[in-house]
Amino acid sequence: AQKVTQVQTEISVVEKEDVTLDCVYETRDTTYYLFWYKQPPSGELVFLIRRNSFDEQNEISGRYSWNFQKSTSSFNFTITASQVVDSAVYFCALSLHSGNTPLVFGKGTRLSVIA
Amino acid sequence: DTGVSQDPRHKITKRGQNVTFRCDPISEHNRLYWYRQTLGQGPEFLTYFQNEAQLEKSRLLSDRFSAERPKGSFSTLEIQRTEQGDSAMYLCASSLVSFSYNEQFFGPGTRLTVL
């Protein structure tokens, strides 16, 4: 069975600080995709980033970056120079095979950025 | 591209009543997913379709739940004889099956309250 664990339930940071959200996943499949979604107070899930299991190269996209390590089954997400608008619940999710299968979500991490 | 839409946005019903929700996916998206999200949890998969074919149903989908996508476009999710435990946010998502594009895009959700 697949499982996604987000250990941090809530994080609070001061604006402009960097913050890293942790995600650990479990799967026996060798082909899978990992995603991060953001759920602002309005409630709609917004896709942020994805990474497939064959590509461990870490990337930066604007203020977002991610660290994918298969050896530790971790897919951590970092926001640099956080802003108040980053306040939301962030979900890590796993999808098997090609990625077009149902997502398995973690329980989410609530991020509060204080001005 | 108007995104995924869901109707209604909110539904309050009395226990034992039937309710039906509608989801309109992004046009040309061939996969459509239903998830349920309770307070403080991540979304949980219910069922999904490829065009009009229902590919998989979660164990969470009891006999009181039925979903269909009759023409491969919009989908409906019906709950019969609602129970208080059915109170949740019901999320719909759609995706386009391709080699390089597999993110699921979510609608705003339908919040169900069963009194």
Coordinates of all heavy atoms in Angstrom, one line a residue, chain A residues 17-107:
Chain A
E17 N 11.5 34.7 6.1 CA 12.2 33.5 6.5 C 12.0 32.4 5.5 O 11.0 32.3 4.8 CB 11.8 33.0 7.9 CG 12.2 33.8 9.0 CD 11.8 33.2 10.4 OE1 11.0 32.3 10.4 OE2 12.3 33.7 11.4
D18 N 13.0 31.5 5.4 CA 12.9 30.3 4.5 C 12.2 29.2 5.4 O 12.4 29.2 6.6 CB 14.2 29.8 4.1 CG 15.0 30.8 3.2 OD1 14.4 31.8 2.8 OD2 16.2 30.6 3.0
V19 N 11.4 28.4 4.7 CA 10.7 27.3 5.4 C 10.7 26.1 4.6 O 10.5 26.1 3.4 CB 9.3 27.8 5.8 CG1 8.5 28.1 4.6 CG2 8.6 26.7 6.6
T20 N 11.0 24.9 5.2 CA 11.0 23.7 4.6 C 9.9 22.8 5.1 O 9.8 22.6 6.3 CB 12.3 23.0 4.7 OG1 13.3 23.7 4.0 CG2 12.3 21.6 4.1
L21 N 9.1 22.2 4.2 CA 8.0 21.3 4.6 C 8.5 19.9 4.2 O 8.9 19.6 3.1 CB 6.7 21.6 3.8 CG 6.3 23.1 3.8 CD1 5.0 23.3 3.1 CD2 6.1 23.6 5.3
D22 N 8.4 19.0 5.2 CA 8.9 17.6 5.0 C 7.8 16.7 4.5 O 6.6 16.8 4.9 CB 9.5 17.1 6.3 CG 10.6 17.9 6.8 OD1 11.3 18.5 6.0 OD2 10.9 18.0 8.0
C23 N 8.2 15.7 3.7 CA 7.3 14.7 3.2 C 8.1 13.4 3.1 O 9.1 13.3 2.5 CB 6.7 15.1 1.9 SG 5.7 13.8 1.0
V24 N 7.5 12.3 3.6 CA 8.1 11.0 3.5 C 7.0 10.1 2.9 O 5.9 10.2 3.3 CB 8.5 10.4 4.9 CG1 9.0 9.0 4.7 CG2 9.6 11.3 5.4
Y25 N 7.4 9.3 1.9 CA 6.4 8.4 1.2 C 6.8 6.9 1.3 O 8.0 6.6 1.6 CB 6.2 8.9 -0.2 CG 7.5 8.7 -1.0 CD1 7.8 7.6 -1.8 CD2 8.5 9.8 -1.0 CE1 8.9 7.4 -2.5 CE2 9.6 9.6 -1.8 CZ 9.9 8.5 -2.5 OH 11.0 8.4 -3.2
E26 N 5.8 6.1 1.1 CA 6.0 4.7 1.1 C 5.3 4.1 -0.2 O 4.2 4.3 -0.4 CB 5.5 4.0 2.3 CG 6.1 4.4 3.6 CD 5.4 3.7 4.8 OE1 4.9 2.6 4.6 OE2 5.4 4.3 5.9
T27 N 6.1 3.3 -0.9 CA 5.5 2.6 -2.1 C 6.5 1.5 -2.5 O 7.7 1.7 -2.3 CB 5.2 3.5 -3.2 OG1 4.7 2.7 -4.3 CG2 6.5 4.2 -3.8
R28 N 5.9 0.4 -3.0 CA 6.8 -0.7 -3.5 C 7.0 -0.5 -5.0 O 7.8 -1.3 -5.6 CB 6.1 -2.0 -3.2 CG 6.1 -2.3 -1.7 CD 5.5 -3.7 -1.4 NE 5.5 -4.0 0.0 CZ 4.9 -5.1 0.5 NH1 4.4 -6.0 -0.3 NH2 4.9 -5.3 1.8
D29 N 6.2 0.4 -5.6 CA 6.4 0.6 -7.0 C 7.7 1.3 -7.3 O 8.1 2.1 -6.5 CB 5.2 1.3 -7.6 CG 4.0 0.5 -7.6 OD1 3.4 0.3 -6.6 OD2 3.6 0.0 -8.7
T30 N 8.2 1.0 -8.5 CA 9.5 1.7 -8.9 C 9.2 2.9 -9.7 O 10.1 3.8 -9.9 CB 10.4 0.7 -9.7 OG1 9.7 0.2 -10.8 CG2 10.8 -0.4 -8.8
T31 N 8.0 3.0 -10.3 CA 7.6 4.1 -11.1 C 6.5 4.9 -10.4 O 5.4 4.3 -10.1 CB 7.1 3.7 -12.5 OG1 8.1 2.9 -13.1 CG2 6.8 4.9 -13.3
Y32 N 6.7 6.1 -10.1 CA 5.7 6.9 -9.4 C 6.0 8.4 -9.6 O 7.1 8.8 -10.0 CB 5.7 6.6 -7.9 CG 7.0 6.6 -7.2 CD1 7.5 7.8 -6.6 CD2 7.8 5.4 -7.1 CE1 8.7 7.8 -6.0 CE2 9.0 5.5 -6.5 CZ 9.5 6.6 -5.9 OH 10.7 6.6 -5.2
Y33 N 5.1 9.2 -9.2 CA 5.2 10.7 -9.3 C 4.9 11.2 -7.9 O 4.0 10.7 -7.2 CB 4.2 11.3 -10.3 CG 4.7 11.2 -11.7 CD1 4.7 10.1 -12.5 CD2 5.3 12.4 -12.3 CE1 5.1 10.0 -13.8 CE2 5.7 12.3 -13.6 CZ 5.6 11.2 -14.3 OH 6.1 11.1 -15.6
L34 N 5.6 12.3 -7.6 CA 5.3 13.0 -6.3 C 4.9 14.4 -6.6 O 5.4 15.1 -7.6 CB 6.6 13.0 -5.4 CG 7.0 11.6 -5.0 CD1 8.5 11.7 -4.5 CD2 6.1 11.2 -3.8
F35 N 4.0 15.0 -5.8 CA 3.4 16.3 -6.1 C 3.4 17.1 -4.8 O 3.3 16.5 -3.7 CB 2.0 16.2 -6.6 CG 1.8 15.4 -7.9 CD1 1.8 14.0 -7.9 CD2 1.7 16.0 -9.1 CE1 1.6 13.3 -9.0 CE2 1.5 15.3 -10.3 CZ 1.5 13.9 -10.2
W36 N 3.4 18.4 -4.9 CA 3.0 19.3 -3.9 C 1.8 20.1 -4.3 O 1.9 20.7 -5.5 CB 4.2 20.2 -3.4 CG 5.1 19.5 -2.5 CD1 6.3 18.9 -2.8 CD2 5.0 19.4 -1.1 NE1 6.9 18.4 -1.6 CE2 6.1 18.7 -0.6 CE3 4.0 19.9 -0.1 CZ2 6.3 18.4 0.8 CZ3 4.2 19.6 1.2 CH2 5.3 18.9 1.7
Y37 N 0.8 20.2 -3.5 CA -0.3 21.1 -3.7 C -0.5 22.1 -2.6 O -0.1 21.8 -1.4 CB -1.6 20.2 -3.8 CG -1.8 19.5 -5.1 CD1 -1.2 18.3 -5.4 CD2 -2.6 20.1 -6.1 CE1 -1.5 17.7 -6.6 CE2 -2.9 19.5 -7.3 CZ -2.3 18.3 -7.6 OH -2.5 17.6 -8.8
K38 N -1.0 23.2 -2.9 CA -1.3 24.3 -1.9 C -2.8 24.4 -1.8 O -3.5 24.5 -2.8 CB -0.6 25.6 -2.3 CG -1.0 26.8 -1.5 CD -0.3 28.0 -2.1 CE -0.6 29.3 -1.3 NZ 0.0 30.5 -1.9
Q39 N -3.3 24.5 -0.5 CA -4.7 24.8 -0.3 C -4.9 26.0 0.5 O -4.8 26.0 1.7 CB -5.4 23.6 0.4 CG -6.9 23.7 0.4 CD -7.6 22.4 0.9 OE1 -7.1 21.8 1.9 NE2 -8.7 22.0 0.3
P40 N -5.1 27.2 -0.1 CA -5.3 28.4 0.6 C -6.6 28.4 1.3 O -7.4 27.5 1.1 CB -5.2 29.5 -0.5 CG -5.6 28.8 -1.8 CD -5.2 27.3 -1.6
P41 N -6.9 29.5 2.1 CA -8.1 29.5 2.9 C -9.4 29.4 2.0 O -10.4 28.9 2.5 CB -8.1 30.9 3.5 CG -6.6 31.1 3.7 CD -6.0 30.5 2.5
S42 N -9.3 29.8 0.7 CA -10.4 29.6 -0.2 C -10.8 28.2 -0.4 O -11.9 27.9 -0.8 CB -10.1 30.3 -1.5 OG -9.0 29.7 -2.1
G43 N -9.9 27.3 -0.2 CA -10.2 25.9 -0.2 C -9.8 25.1 -1.5 O -9.8 23.9 -1.5
E44 N -9.5 25.8 -2.6 CA -9.2 25.1 -3.8 C -7.8 24.6 -3.9 O -6.9 25.4 -3.6 CB -9.5 26.0 -5.0 CG -9.4 25.4 -6.4 CD -10.1 26.2 -7.4 OE1 -11.0 27.0 -7.1 OE2 -9.8 26.0 -8.6
L45 N -7.5 23.4 -4.1 CA -6.2 22.8 -4.2 C -5.5 23.4 -5.5 O -6.0 23.3 -6.6 CB -6.2 21.3 -4.3 CG -6.4 20.6 -2.9 CD1 -7.0 19.2 -3.2 CD2 -5.1 20.6 -2.2
V46 N -4.3 23.9 -5.3 CA -3.5 24.4 -6.4 C -2.2 23.6 -6.6 O -1.5 23.4 -5.7 CB -3.2 25.9 -6.1 CG1 -2.3 26.5 -7.3 CG2 -4.4 26.7 -5.9
F47 N -2.0 23.1 -7.8 CA -0.8 22.3 -8.1 C 0.4 23.2 -8.1 O 0.4 24.4 -8.6 CB -1.0 21.7 -9.5 CG 0.3 21.3 -10.1 CD1 0.9 20.1 -9.7 CD2 0.9 22.0 -11.1 CE1 2.1 19.6 -10.2 CE2 2.1 21.5 -11.7 CZ 2.7 20.4 -11.2
L48 N 1.5 22.8 -7.4 CA 2.7 23.5 -7.4 C 3.8 22.9 -8.2 O 4.4 23.5 -9.1 CB 3.1 23.7 -5.9 CG 2.2 24.5 -5.0 CD1 2.8 24.4 -3.5 CD2 2.1 25.9 -5.5
I49 N 4.2 21.7 -7.8 CA 5.3 21.0 -8.5 C 5.1 19.5 -8.5 O 4.3 19.0 -7.8 CB 6.6 21.2 -7.7 CG1 6.5 20.8 -6.2 CG2 7.1 22.7 -7.8 CD1 7.8 20.9 -5.5
R50 N 5.8 18.9 -9.5 CA 5.8 17.4 -9.6 C 7.2 16.9 -9.8 O 8.0 17.6 -10.4 CB 4.8 16.9 -10.6 CG 5.4 17.0 -12.0 CD 4.5 16.3 -13.0 NE 5.1 16.2 -14.4 CZ 4.9 17.2 -15.3 NH1 4.1 18.2 -15.0 NH2 5.5 17.0 -16.5
R51 N 7.4 15.7 -9.5 CA 8.7 15.0 -9.8 C 8.5 13.6 -10.0 O 7.7 12.9 -9.3 CB 9.6 15.2 -8.6 CG 11.0 14.6 -8.6 CD 11.8 15.1 -9.8 NE 12.0 16.5 -9.7 CZ 12.4 17.3 -10.8 NH1 12.6 16.7 -11.9 NH2 12.6 18.5 -10.6
N52 N 9.1 13.0 -11.0 CA 8.9 11.5 -11.2 C 10.1 10.8 -10.5 O 11.1 11.3 -10.2 CB 8.8 11.2 -12.7 CG 10.1 11.4 -13.5 OD1 11.1 10.8 -13.1 ND2 10.0 12.1 -14.5
S53 N 9.9 9.5 -10.3 CA 10.8 8.7 -9.6 C 12.1 8.5 -10.3 O 13.1 8.0 -9.6 CB 10.1 7.3 -9.3 OG 9.7 6.7 -10.4
F54 N 12.2 8.8 -11.5 CA 13.5 8.6 -12.3 C 14.3 9.8 -12.3 O 15.5 9.7 -12.8 CB 13.2 8.1 -13.7 CG 12.5 6.8 -13.8 CD1 11.1 6.7 -14.2 CD2 13.1 5.6 -13.5 CE1 10.5 5.5 -14.2 CE2 12.5 4.4 -13.5 CZ 11.2 4.4 -13.9
D55 N 13.8 10.9 -11.8 CA 14.6 12.1 -11.8 C 14.8 12.7 -10.5 O 13.9 13.3 -9.9 CB 13.8 13.1 -12.7 CG 14.6 14.4 -12.9 OD1 15.7 14.5 -12.4 OD2 14.0 15.3 -13.6
E56 N 16.0 12.5 -9.9 CA 16.3 13.0 -8.6 C 16.9 14.3 -8.6 O 17.3 14.8 -7.6 CB 17.2 12.0 -7.8 CG 16.5 10.7 -7.4 CD 17.3 9.9 -6.4 OE1 17.4 10.3 -5.3 OE2 17.8 8.8 -6.8
Q57 N 17.0 14.9 -9.8 CA 17.6 16.2 -9.8 C 16.7 17.2 -9.1 O 15.5 17.3 -9.3 CB 17.7 16.7 -11.3 CG 18.4 18.0 -11.4 CD 18.6 18.4 -12.9 OE1 18.2 17.6 -13.8 NE2 19.2 19.5 -13.1
N58 N 17.3 18.0 -8.2 CA 16.6 19.0 -7.4 C 16.5 20.3 -8.2 O 17.5 20.6 -8.9 CB 17.2 19.2 -6.1 CG 17.1 17.9 -5.2 OD1 16.1 17.3 -5.2 ND2 18.2 17.6 -4.6
E59 N 15.4 21.0 -8.1 CA 15.3 22.2 -8.9 C 14.8 23.3 -8.1 O 14.3 23.2 -7.0 CB 14.3 21.9 -10.1 CG 14.8 20.9 -11.1 CD 13.9 20.9 -12.3 OE1 13.0 21.8 -12.5 OE2 14.0 19.9 -13.1
I60 N 14.9 24.5 -8.7 CA 14.4 25.7 -8.1 C 13.5 26.3 -9.1 O 13.8 26.4 -10.3 CB 15.5 26.7 -7.7 CG1 16.4 26.0 -6.7 CG2 15.0 28.0 -7.2 CD1 17.7 26.9 -6.4
S61 N 12.3 26.8 -8.6 CA 11.4 27.5 -9.5 C 10.9 28.7 -8.7 O 10.0 28.6 -7.9 CB 10.2 26.6 -9.9 OG 9.2 27.3 -10.6
G62 N 11.5 29.8 -9.1 CA 11.1 31.0 -8.3 C 11.5 30.9 -6.9 O 12.7 30.6 -6.5
R63 N 10.6 31.1 -6.0 CA 10.9 31.0 -4.6 C 10.7 29.5 -4.1 O 10.9 29.3 -2.9 CB 9.9 31.9 -3.8 CG 10.2 33.4 -4.0 CD 9.4 34.3 -3.1 NE 8.0 34.1 -3.2 CZ 7.2 33.5 -2.3 NH1 7.7 33.1 -1.2 NH2 5.9 33.4 -2.5
Y64 N 10.3 28.6 -4.9 CA 10.0 27.3 -4.6 C 11.3 26.4 -5.0 O 11.8 26.6 -6.0 CB 8.8 26.7 -5.3 CG 7.5 27.4 -4.9 CD1 6.4 27.3 -5.8 CD2 7.3 28.0 -3.7 CE1 5.2 27.9 -5.6 CE2 6.1 28.6 -3.5 CZ 5.0 28.6 -4.4 OH 3.8 29.1 -4.1
S65 N 11.6 25.5 -4.1 CA 12.6 24.5 -4.5 C 12.2 23.2 -3.8 O 11.4 23.1 -2.8 CB 14.0 24.9 -4.1 OG 14.1 25.0 -2.7
W66 N 12.7 22.1 -4.3 CA 12.4 20.8 -3.7 C 13.6 19.9 -3.7 O 14.5 20.0 -4.6 CB 11.2 20.1 -4.4 CG 11.3 20.0 -5.9 CD1 11.7 19.0 -6.7 CD2 10.9 21.1 -6.8 NE1 11.6 19.3 -8.0 CE2 11.2 20.5 -8.1 CE3 10.4 22.4 -6.7 CZ2 10.9 21.3 -9.3 CZ3 10.2 23.1 -7.8 CH2 10.4 22.6 -9.1
N67 N 13.6 19.0 -2.8 CA 14.7 18.1 -2.5 C 14.1 16.7 -2.5 O 13.5 16.3 -1.6 CB 15.4 18.4 -1.2 CG 16.6 17.6 -1.0 OD1 16.8 16.5 -1.6 ND2 17.5 18.1 -0.2
F68 N 14.4 15.9 -3.6 CA 13.9 14.5 -3.7 C 15.0 13.6 -3.5 O 16.0 13.6 -4.2 CB 13.3 14.4 -5.1 CG 12.9 13.0 -5.5 CD1 12.3 12.2 -4.5 CD2 13.0 12.5 -6.7 CE1 11.8 10.9 -4.8 CE2 12.6 11.2 -7.1 CZ 12.0 10.4 -6.1
Q69 N 14.9 12.7 -2.5 CA 15.9 11.7 -2.2 C 15.2 10.3 -2.1 O 14.6 10.0 -1.1 CB 16.6 12.1 -0.9 CG 17.5 13.3 -1.0 CD 18.4 13.5 0.2 OE1 18.3 12.8 1.2 NE2 19.2 14.5 0.2
K70 N 15.5 9.5 -3.1 CA 14.9 8.2 -3.1 C 15.5 7.3 -2.0 O 14.8 6.4 -1.4 CB 15.2 7.5 -4.4 CG 14.3 8.0 -5.6 CD 14.6 7.3 -6.9 CE 14.0 6.0 -6.9 NZ 14.1 5.4 -8.3
S71 N 16.7 7.5 -1.6 CA 17.3 6.7 -0.6 C 16.6 6.8 0.8 O 16.6 5.9 1.6 CB 18.8 7.1 -0.4 OG 18.9 8.5 0.0
T72 N 16.0 8.0 1.0 CA 15.3 8.2 2.3 C 13.8 8.3 2.0 O 13.1 8.6 3.0 CB 15.8 9.4 3.0 OG1 15.7 10.6 2.1 CG2 17.3 9.3 3.4
S73 N 13.4 8.1 0.8 CA 11.9 8.3 0.4 C 11.4 9.6 0.9 O 10.3 9.7 1.5 CB 11.1 7.1 1.0 OG 11.5 5.9 0.5
S74 N 12.1 10.6 0.6 CA 11.7 12.0 1.1 C 11.5 12.9 -0.1 O 12.3 12.8 -1.1 CB 12.6 12.5 2.1 OG 13.9 12.8 1.5
F75 N 10.6 13.8 0.0 CA 10.4 14.8 -1.1 C 10.0 16.1 -0.4 O 8.8 16.4 -0.2 CB 9.2 14.3 -2.0 CG 8.9 15.2 -3.1 CD1 9.9 15.6 -4.0 CD2 7.6 15.6 -3.4 CE1 9.6 16.4 -5.1 CE2 7.3 16.4 -4.5 CZ 8.3 16.8 -5.3
N76 N 11.0 16.8 0.0 CA 10.8 18.0 0.8 C 10.7 19.3 0.0 O 11.3 19.3 -1.1 CB 12.0 18.2 1.8 CG 12.1 17.0 2.8 OD1 11.1 16.4 3.1 ND2 13.3 16.8 3.3
F77 N 10.0 20.2 0.5 CA 9.6 21.4 -0.3 C 10.0 22.7 0.5 O 9.7 22.7 1.7 CB 8.1 21.4 -0.5 CG 7.5 22.6 -1.2 CD1 7.9 23.0 -2.5 CD2 6.5 23.3 -0.6 CE1 7.4 24.1 -3.1 CE2 6.0 24.5 -1.2 CZ 6.4 24.8 -2.5
T78 N 10.7 23.6 -0.2 CA 11.2 24.8 0.5 C 10.7 26.0 -0.1 O 10.7 26.1 -1.4 CB 12.7 24.8 0.5 OG1 13.2 23.7 1.3 CG2 13.2 26.1 1.2
I79 N 10.2 26.9 0.7 CA 9.8 28.3 0.2 C 10.8 29.2 0.7 O 11.1 29.3 1.9 CB 8.4 28.7 0.7 CG1 7.4 27.6 0.3 CG2 8.0 30.0 0.2 CD1 6.0 27.9 0.9
T80 N 11.4 29.9 -0.2 CA 12.4 30.9 0.2 C 11.8 32.3 0.3 O 10.9 32.7 -0.4 CB 13.5 31.0 -0.9 OG1 14.1 29.7 -1.1 CG2 14.6 32.0 -0.6
A81 N 12.3 33.1 1.3 CA 11.8 34.4 1.6 C 10.2 34.4 1.6 O 9.6 35.0 0.8 CB 12.3 35.3 0.5
S82 N 9.7 33.7 2.6 CA 8.3 33.5 2.7 C 7.5 34.8 2.7 O 8.0 35.8 3.2 CB 7.9 32.6 3.9 OG 8.4 33.3 5.1
Q83 N 6.3 34.8 2.2 CA 5.4 35.9 2.2 C 4.1 35.5 2.9 O 3.7 34.4 3.0 CB 5.2 36.4 0.8 CG 6.4 36.7 0.0 CD 6.1 37.0 -1.4 OE1 5.0 37.0 -1.9 NE2 7.2 37.4 -2.2
V84 N 3.4 36.6 3.3 CA 2.1 36.3 4.0 C 1.1 35.5 3.1 O 0.4 34.6 3.5 CB 1.4 37.6 4.4 CG1 0.0 37.4 5.0 CG2 2.3 38.3 5.5
V85 N 1.2 35.7 1.8 CA 0.3 35.0 0.8 C 0.6 33.6 0.7 O -0.1 32.8 0.1 CB 0.4 35.7 -0.6 CG1 -0.2 37.1 -0.5 CG2 1.8 35.7 -1.1
D86 N 1.8 33.2 1.3 CA 2.1 31.7 1.3 C 1.4 31.0 2.4 O 1.4 29.7 2.4 CB 3.6 31.5 1.5 CG 4.5 32.1 0.4 OD1 4.0 32.1 -0.8 OD2 5.6 32.6 0.6
S87 N 0.7 31.7 3.2 CA -0.1 31.0 4.3 C -1.1 30.1 3.7 O -2.0 30.6 3.0 CB -0.7 32.1 5.2 OG 0.3 32.8 5.9
A88 N -1.1 28.9 4.0 CA -2.0 27.9 3.4 C -1.7 26.5 4.1 O -0.8 26.4 4.9 CB -1.8 27.8 1.9
V89 N -2.5 25.5 3.6 CA -2.1 24.2 4.0 C -1.5 23.5 2.7 O -2.0 23.7 1.6 CB -3.4 23.3 4.4 CG1 -3.0 21.9 4.7 CG2 -4.1 24.0 5.5
Y90 N -0.4 22.9 3.0 CA 0.4 22.3 1.9 C 0.3 20.8 2.0 O 0.5 20.2 3.0 CB 1.8 22.8 1.9 CG 2.0 24.2 1.5 CD1 1.8 25.2 2.5 CD2 2.3 24.6 0.2 CE1 1.9 26.5 2.2 CE2 2.5 25.9 -0.1 CZ 2.2 26.9 0.9 OH 2.3 28.2 0.5
F91 N 0.0 20.2 0.8 CA -0.2 18.7 0.8 C 0.9 18.1 -0.1 O 1.1 18.6 -1.3 CB -1.5 18.3 0.3 CG -2.7 18.6 1.2 CD1 -3.4 19.8 1.1 CD2 -3.0 17.8 2.3 CE1 -4.4 20.1 1.9 CE2 -4.0 18.1 3.1 CZ -4.7 19.2 3.0
C92 N 1.5 17.0 0.3 CA 2.4 16.2 -0.5 C 1.5 15.0 -1.0 O 0.6 14.5 -0.2 CB 3.5 15.7 0.4 SG 4.7 14.7 -0.5
A93 N 1.7 14.6 -2.2 CA 0.9 13.5 -2.7 C 1.7 12.6 -3.6 O 2.7 13.0 -4.2 CB -0.3 14.1 -3.5
L94 N 1.2 11.4 -3.7 CA 1.9 10.3 -4.5 C 1.0 9.7 -5.5 O -0.2 9.5 -5.2 CB 2.4 9.2 -3.5 CG 2.9 7.9 -4.1 CD1 4.2 8.1 -4.8 CD2 3.0 6.9 -2.9
S95 N 1.5 9.5 -6.7 CA 0.7 8.9 -7.8 C 1.5 7.8 -8.4 O 2.7 8.0 -8.7 CB 0.2 9.9 -8.8 OG -0.5 9.3 -9.8
L96 N 1.0 6.6 -8.7 CA 1.7 5.5 -9.2 C 1.8 5.6 -10.7 O 1.1 6.3 -11.4 CB 1.1 4.2 -8.7 CG 1.1 4.0 -7.2 CD1 0.5 2.7 -6.9 CD2 2.4 4.1 -6.6
H97 N 2.7 4.7 -11.2 CA 2.9 4.5 -12.7 C 3.1 5.8 -13.4 O 4.0 6.5 -13.1 CB 1.6 3.7 -13.2 CG 1.2 2.6 -12.4 ND1 2.1 1.6 -12.0 CD2 0.1 2.3 -11.7 CE1 1.4 0.7 -11.2 NE2 0.2 1.1 -11.0
S98 N 2.3 6.1 -14.4 CA 2.5 7.3 -15.2 C 2.1 8.6 -14.5 O 2.4 9.6 -15.0 CB 1.6 7.1 -16.5 OG 0.3 7.2 -16.1
G99 N 1.5 8.5 -13.4 CA 1.1 9.7 -12.7 C -0.4 10.0 -12.9 O -0.9 10.8 -12.2
N100 N -1.0 9.3 -13.8 CA -2.4 9.5 -14.0 C -3.3 8.6 -13.3 O -4.3 8.0 -13.8 CB -2.7 9.5 -15.5 CG -2.3 10.7 -16.3 OD1 -2.9 11.8 -16.1 ND2 -1.3 10.6 -17.1
T101 N -2.9 8.3 -12.0 CA -3.7 7.5 -11.2 C -4.1 8.3 -9.9 O -3.6 9.4 -9.7 CB -2.9 6.2 -10.8 OG1 -1.7 6.6 -10.1 CG2 -2.6 5.4 -12.0
P102 N -5.1 7.8 -9.2 CA -5.5 8.6 -8.0 C -4.4 8.9 -7.1 O -3.4 8.1 -6.9 CB -6.5 7.6 -7.3 CG -7.0 6.8 -8.4 CD -5.9 6.6 -9.4
L103 N -4.4 10.1 -6.6 CA -3.4 10.6 -5.7 C -3.6 10.1 -4.2 O -4.8 10.0 -3.8 CB -3.4 12.2 -5.7 CG -3.0 12.8 -7.0 CD1 -3.4 14.3 -6.9 CD2 -1.6 12.6 -7.3
V104 N -2.5 9.8 -3.6 CA -2.5 9.5 -2.2 C -1.9 10.7 -1.5 O -0.8 11.0 -1.7 CB -1.7 8.2 -1.9 CG1 -1.7 8.0 -0.3 CG2 -2.3 7.0 -2.6
F105 N -2.7 11.4 -0.6 CA -2.3 12.6 0.0 C -1.8 12.4 1.4 O -2.2 11.4 2.1 CB -3.4 13.6 0.1 CG -3.8 14.3 -1.2 CD1 -4.7 13.7 -2.1 CD2 -3.2 15.5 -1.5 CE1 -5.0 14.3 -3.3 CE2 -3.6 16.1 -2.7 CZ -4.4 15.5 -3.6
G106 N -0.9 13.2 1.9 CA -0.6 13.3 3.3 C -1.6 14.1 4.0 O -2.6 14.6 3.3
K107 N -1.5 14.3 5.3 CA -2.5 15.0 6.0 C -2.3 16.5 6.0 O -3.2 17.2 6.5 CB -2.5 14.5 7.5 CG -3.0 13.1 7.7 CD -3.1 12.7 9.1 CE -3.7 11.3 9.2 NZ -4.0 10.9 10.6

